[in-house]
Amino acid sequence: MAGSQPPSDPSEPTLVSVVAASLASLGVSGPVVVGVSGGPDSTALARALKTLEQRGRVRVIVAHANHRLRGAESDADEAFTRALAERLGLPLLYGSLPVPRDANERGEGIEAAARRQRQQFFADTARETGARWVATAHTADDQAETVLHRIIRGTGVAGLSGIPHRRELVPGVQLIRPMLSLRRSDVIRYLAQIGQDFREDSSNRDLAFTRNRLRNELLPYLREHFNPSVEHAVCRLAALAGDARRALARPVRMLQRRAIMEETADRVVLDTAVLRSTSRFLVCEVLRRVWAERGWPLQELGLDALERVADLVHNESAAWDMPGGVRAERRGRELILRRGEAQNQRET
């Protein structure tokens, strides 16, 4: 991993060295769009990338999305990011992206809707500026929180693999996380070392959000009573699950090709006779892949929901309304998945 490489210069902050090594391992060069919220992680990434820009490694473009969820605080985050970009001499592209008020009713959720909007904005910014890379500032702490969140909600191997270091955002644009091997404490230490301030998001303290309870209650408890290196243990599990997922990618693709009878952007028909010939685990992996390829909401698609659809492979007359407005229905030999209006989950 990039994080295990020693700094090339003993006087250089470790965070900069880790980011540089990560970019090198991913083959990153030329213009890079960096998503900056004003918080410590993204502020640190922007500063590190600016250092690498000065060495001719990359060309940095700052992108800031204001979802206007926190009123004056959101506007203050925007002002901070604008001032940071100006001070660093970096171009900034700004997006005003109010989250749809009916996000919860549509089954997507406010956080998922904001994430989708933000990633589309980053993709549009990359295309506008000719960048092939979008960098976000996820850390090992984010990885541990994500994996634990999925375990609690119910997940499979794909969920256990957590946040990837790299994935395709849109054709021609890669989303990268060059700080994924770093702890949040590394970020705070780096910012203190260079005398850089940052913004604090007050919603991170709101225990109504599951992720905040994981961060502020569960992980501290696990560190104190079970394993002081629990984040490292969870991240190691994620890495192993990622290896397993990559090993399974080919058989899952082959099964999907055999099972698909017809497909469009909003509708897929699968052959249950093909799916019954394999394991329930692989059926769930095929269903997850179908969801992902069509951009259907994955955030609320926990293991229980996946298994409910998998049950239809053996149930000849049933239907389920799934999170995100996807309906799964069995008709004879066909398992039909289609995106429509969200409905209450019920068996028919």
mmCIF file of all heavy atoms in Angstrom, residues 144-164:
data_model
loop_
_atom_site.group_PDB
_atom_site.id
_atom_site.type_symbol
_atom_site.label_atom_id
_atom_site.label_comp_id
_atom_site.label_asym_id
_atom_site.label_seq_id
_atom_site.Cartn_x
_atom_site.Cartn_y
_atom_site.Cartn_z
ATOM 1 N N ALA A 144 -13.162 2.398 7.811
ATOM 2 C CA ALA A 144 -13.624 1.593 8.941
ATOM 3 C C ALA A 144 -15.090 1.873 9.252
ATOM 4 O O ALA A 144 -15.886 0.950 9.505
ATOM 5 C CB ALA A 144 -12.751 1.862 10.167
ATOM 6 N N GLU A 145 -15.474 3.157 9.238
ATOM 7 C CA GLU A 145 -16.862 3.519 9.520
ATOM 8 C C GLU A 145 -17.801 2.945 8.469
ATOM 9 O O GLU A 145 -18.888 2.443 8.797
ATOM 10 C CB GLU A 145 -16.994 5.040 9.568
ATOM 11 C CG GLU A 145 -16.282 5.688 10.759
ATOM 12 C CD GLU A 145 -16.051 7.170 10.560
ATOM 13 O OE1 GLU A 145 -16.627 7.742 9.601
ATOM 14 O OE2 GLU A 145 -15.309 7.774 11.356
ATOM 15 N N THR A 146 -17.382 2.998 7.206
ATOM 16 C CA THR A 146 -18.213 2.493 6.116
ATOM 17 C C THR A 146 -18.433 0.988 6.239
ATOM 18 O O THR A 146 -19.558 0.495 6.109
ATOM 19 C CB THR A 146 -17.552 2.817 4.760
ATOM 20 O OG1 THR A 146 -17.501 4.231 4.587
ATOM 21 C CG2 THR A 146 -18.335 2.206 3.605
ATOM 22 N N VAL A 147 -17.363 0.240 6.489
ATOM 23 C CA VAL A 147 -17.476 -1.221 6.587
ATOM 24 C C VAL A 147 -18.333 -1.614 7.785
ATOM 25 O O VAL A 147 -19.214 -2.475 7.681
ATOM 26 C CB VAL A 147 -16.084 -1.874 6.652
ATOM 27 C CG1 VAL A 147 -16.203 -3.372 6.906
ATOM 28 C CG2 VAL A 147 -15.311 -1.628 5.354
ATOM 29 N N LEU A 148 -18.107 -0.974 8.939
ATOM 30 C CA LEU A 148 -18.924 -1.279 10.113
ATOM 31 C C LEU A 148 -20.396 -0.945 9.877
ATOM 32 O O LEU A 148 -21.289 -1.696 10.286
ATOM 33 C CB LEU A 148 -18.402 -0.507 11.324
ATOM 34 C CG LEU A 148 -17.145 -1.062 11.984
ATOM 35 C CD1 LEU A 148 -16.664 -0.113 13.084
ATOM 36 C CD2 LEU A 148 -17.395 -2.456 12.564
ATOM 37 N N HIS A 149 -20.638 0.172 9.208
ATOM 38 C CA HIS A 149 -22.014 0.556 8.885
ATOM 39 C C HIS A 149 -22.680 -0.522 8.046
ATOM 40 O O HIS A 149 -23.832 -0.914 8.294
ATOM 41 C CB HIS A 149 -21.998 1.893 8.136
ATOM 42 C CG HIS A 149 -23.342 2.532 8.010
ATOM 43 N ND1 HIS A 149 -23.553 3.720 7.341
ATOM 44 C CD2 HIS A 149 -24.568 2.144 8.448
ATOM 45 C CE1 HIS A 149 -24.823 4.048 7.385
ATOM 46 N NE2 HIS A 149 -25.469 3.104 8.048
ATOM 47 N N ARG A 150 -21.962 -1.049 7.067
ATOM 48 C CA ARG A 150 -22.531 -2.073 6.194
ATOM 49 C C ARG A 150 -22.734 -3.393 6.928
ATOM 50 O O ARG A 150 -23.711 -4.099 6.679
ATOM 51 C CB ARG A 150 -21.629 -2.261 4.978
ATOM 52 C CG ARG A 150 -21.628 -1.043 4.056
ATOM 53 C CD ARG A 150 -20.646 -1.209 2.921
ATOM 54 N NE ARG A 150 -20.645 -0.028 2.055
ATOM 55 C CZ ARG A 150 -19.842 0.120 1.000
ATOM 56 N NH1 ARG A 150 -18.966 -0.831 0.705
ATOM 57 N NH2 ARG A 150 -19.911 1.211 0.266
ATOM 58 N N ILE A 151 -21.812 -3.734 7.816
ATOM 59 C CA ILE A 151 -21.966 -4.964 8.600
ATOM 60 C C ILE A 151 -23.234 -4.878 9.455
ATOM 61 O O ILE A 151 -24.022 -5.832 9.525
ATOM 62 C CB ILE A 151 -20.735 -5.191 9.496
ATOM 63 C CG1 ILE A 151 -19.524 -5.576 8.634
ATOM 64 C CG2 ILE A 151 -21.010 -6.290 10.524
ATOM 65 C CD1 ILE A 151 -18.227 -5.639 9.415
ATOM 66 N N ILE A 152 -23.441 -3.751 10.102
ATOM 67 C CA ILE A 152 -24.602 -3.575 10.967
ATOM 68 C C ILE A 152 -25.895 -3.622 10.159
ATOM 69 O O ILE A 152 -26.895 -4.207 10.583
ATOM 70 C CB ILE A 152 -24.489 -2.247 11.736
ATOM 71 C CG1 ILE A 152 -23.348 -2.340 12.767
ATOM 72 C CG2 ILE A 152 -25.800 -1.887 12.422
ATOM 73 C CD1 ILE A 152 -22.958 -1.019 13.370
ATOM 74 N N ARG A 153 -25.863 -3.027 8.980
ATOM 75 C CA ARG A 153 -27.052 -2.998 8.131
ATOM 76 C C ARG A 153 -27.306 -4.344 7.470
ATOM 77 O O ARG A 153 -28.440 -4.695 7.151
ATOM 78 C CB ARG A 153 -26.870 -1.907 7.056
ATOM 79 C CG ARG A 153 -28.114 -1.626 6.227
ATOM 80 C CD ARG A 153 -27.833 -0.550 5.210
ATOM 81 N NE ARG A 153 -26.785 -0.950 4.280
ATOM 82 C CZ ARG A 153 -26.241 -0.129 3.395
ATOM 83 N NH1 ARG A 153 -26.605 1.134 3.358
ATOM 84 N NH2 ARG A 153 -25.309 -0.562 2.576
ATOM 85 N N GLY A 154 -26.233 -5.128 7.303
ATOM 86 C CA GLY A 154 -26.310 -6.392 6.586
ATOM 87 C C GLY A 154 -25.662 -6.243 5.232
ATOM 88 O O GLY A 154 -26.074 -5.397 4.428
ATOM 89 N N THR A 155 -24.621 -7.030 4.955
ATOM 90 C CA THR A 155 -23.893 -6.860 3.707
ATOM 91 C C THR A 155 -23.252 -8.164 3.279
ATOM 92 O O THR A 155 -23.236 -9.145 4.040
ATOM 93 C CB THR A 155 -22.823 -5.756 3.856
ATOM 94 O OG1 THR A 155 -22.314 -5.406 2.576
ATOM 95 C CG2 THR A 155 -21.663 -6.230 4.741
ATOM 96 N N GLY A 156 -22.713 -8.170 2.074
ATOM 97 C CA GLY A 156 -21.973 -9.306 1.557
ATOM 98 C C GLY A 156 -20.528 -8.931 1.321
ATOM 99 O O GLY A 156 -20.033 -7.930 1.844
ATOM 100 N N VAL A 157 -19.846 -9.728 0.483
ATOM 101 C CA VAL A 157 -18.430 -9.484 0.228
ATOM 102 C C VAL A 157 -18.207 -8.107 -0.393
ATOM 103 O O VAL A 157 -17.258 -7.397 -0.042
ATOM 104 C CB VAL A 157 -17.853 -10.589 -0.681
ATOM 105 C CG1 VAL A 157 -16.445 -10.223 -1.149
ATOM 106 C CG2 VAL A 157 -17.821 -11.912 0.065
ATOM 107 N N ALA A 158 -19.091 -7.715 -1.308
ATOM 108 C CA ALA A 158 -18.938 -6.404 -1.953
ATOM 109 C C ALA A 158 -18.982 -5.285 -0.921
ATOM 110 O O ALA A 158 -18.182 -4.342 -0.965
ATOM 111 C CB ALA A 158 -20.021 -6.201 -3.005
ATOM 112 N N GLY A 159 -19.908 -5.375 0.031
ATOM 113 C CA GLY A 159 -20.002 -4.352 1.062
ATOM 114 C C GLY A 159 -18.824 -4.361 2.006
ATOM 115 O O GLY A 159 -18.348 -3.306 2.438
ATOM 116 N N LEU A 160 -18.318 -5.555 2.323
ATOM 117 C CA LEU A 160 -17.162 -5.659 3.210
ATOM 118 C C LEU A 160 -15.913 -5.040 2.600
ATOM 119 O O LEU A 160 -15.017 -4.618 3.324
ATOM 120 C CB LEU A 160 -16.872 -7.128 3.547
ATOM 121 C CG LEU A 160 -17.812 -7.822 4.530
ATOM 122 C CD1 LEU A 160 -17.389 -9.265 4.708
ATOM 123 C CD2 LEU A 160 -17.824 -7.106 5.879
ATOM 124 N N SER A 161 -15.844 -4.986 1.279
ATOM 125 C CA SER A 161 -14.648 -4.431 0.630
ATOM 126 C C SER A 161 -14.554 -2.926 0.781
ATOM 127 O O SER A 161 -13.512 -2.331 0.517
ATOM 128 C CB SER A 161 -14.616 -4.813 -0.856
ATOM 129 O OG SER A 161 -15.719 -4.260 -1.547
ATOM 130 N N GLY A 162 -15.642 -2.293 1.215
ATOM 131 C CA GLY A 162 -15.588 -0.883 1.576
ATOM 132 C C GLY A 162 -15.377 0.061 0.407
ATOM 133 O O GLY A 162 -15.863 -0.166 -0.704
ATOM 134 N N ILE A 163 -14.623 1.109 0.668
ATOM 135 C CA ILE A 163 -14.382 2.177 -0.310
ATOM 136 C C ILE A 163 -13.172 1.801 -1.153
ATOM 137 O O ILE A 163 -12.088 1.564 -0.612
ATOM 138 C CB ILE A 163 -14.106 3.514 0.403
ATOM 139 C CG1 ILE A 163 -15.230 3.842 1.399
ATOM 140 C CG2 ILE A 163 -13.934 4.648 -0.596
ATOM 141 C CD1 ILE A 163 -14.910 5.014 2.316
ATOM 142 N N PRO A 164 -13.296 1.742 -2.470
ATOM 143 C CA PRO A 164 -12.133 1.410 -3.302
ATOM 144 C C PRO A 164 -11.183 2.595 -3.446
ATOM 145 O O PRO A 164 -11.599 3.753 -3.369
ATOM 146 C CB PRO A 164 -12.756 1.041 -4.653
ATOM 147 C CG PRO A 164 -14.013 1.854 -4.701
ATOM 148 C CD PRO A 164 -14.518 1.929 -3.277
#
